[in-house]
Amino acid sequence: MTRFPLLAVLALVPGAALANAPQLRNTGPIIYLADNLDEADGLGYCIDTEDRGQTERVHLHSCKPDADDPTVRDVLFRWNEETGRIEHGECAGFCLSADADAAATVLSLVECSDDPAQQFAIDGATGEIHPGGDEALCLAGAAESSSAGPFMSRSLGIEACDAVDPALRTFAVQG
């Protein structure tokens, strides 16, 4: 798999996937679905912690509009090309982890380490994020969204890439 610098990932996402691109108002480092889908305010869906502050649970949430407001910094995630980790931009030393158990793969925010569960590869040609570099698996948003106060959310999981609508597995990276 070819790895690209962060800005190149955004530039190489296929135009068709950006047909309904979100109108981002967050200037921080974010990883978001390239398609706005049904986000009511056009903010798009960012990888996010489920509660404010530090928590282990992650999902997709409306990309909050102001990175300078401390209550919206839980959407700040960046992909570290050198380590292959998806790091939280506000909680230093914490990374996304894809831990498999007998029932499912659980995504969580844990202390960064060399654990293979924290390795992700971003395909610059497709915008897919592959856990452990396994090109058959992708980070993917749930088909259904739900209300999250004034915003919207979706579950985030790992699925077989060919079983998921491309709009739910095509990500872009900012910052």
Side-chain angles (χ1 to χ4, degrees):
M1 169 171 311
T2 305
R3 289 187 167 186
F4 294 89
L6 293 176
L7 294 177
V9 171
L10 179 57
L12 293 174
V13 173
L18 296 172
N20 188 25
Q23 302 303 307
L24 299 174
R25 291 183 235 156
N26 190 314
T27 58
I30 55 175
I31 300 173
Y32 62 97
L33 285 175
D35 193 311
N36 187 67
L37 301 171
D38 64 347
E39 206 295 319
D41 295 321
L43 297 171
Y45 288 93
C46 286
I47 296 177
D48 177 50
T49 56
E50 282 193 27
D51 297 312
R52 289 185 182 154
Q54 190 170 334
T55 178
E56 287 187 1
R57 298 182 314 268
V58 295
H59 63 159
L60 291 173
H61 190 281
S62 298
C63 296
K64 297 168 187 160
D66 184 2
D68 292 330
D69 179 344
T71 65
V72 301
R73 292 184 180 164
D74 48 357
V75 298
L76 301 180
F77 280 85
R78 69 175 52 87
W79 181 60
N80 183 324
E81 185 177 6
E82 277 186 36
T83 65
R85 295 189 301 233
I86 295 175
E87 301 170 347
H88 197 281
E90 184 69 10
C91 301
F94 282 80
C95 294
L96 192 64
S97 180
D99 299 310
D101 66 19
T105 299
V106 177
L107 290 168
S108 57
L109 187 64
V110 299
E111 283 190 58
C112 297
S113 71
D114 291 331
D115 185 339
Q118 294 182 20
Q119 299 298 304
F120 296 88
I122 298 180
D123 185 321
T126 65
E128 294 172 344
I129 300 175
H130 302 287
D134 184 341
E135 294 183 23
L137 298 175
C138 290
L139 254 61
E144 301 295 321
S145 62
S146 59
S147 174
F151 299 109
M152 299 178 75
S153 68
R154 292 173 180 270
S155 295
L156 177 65
I158 296 176
E159 303 287 339
C161 297
D162 62 3
V164 178
D165 181 331
L168 297 171
R169 61 180 158 89
T170 303
F171 287 84
V173 174
Q174 172 180 288

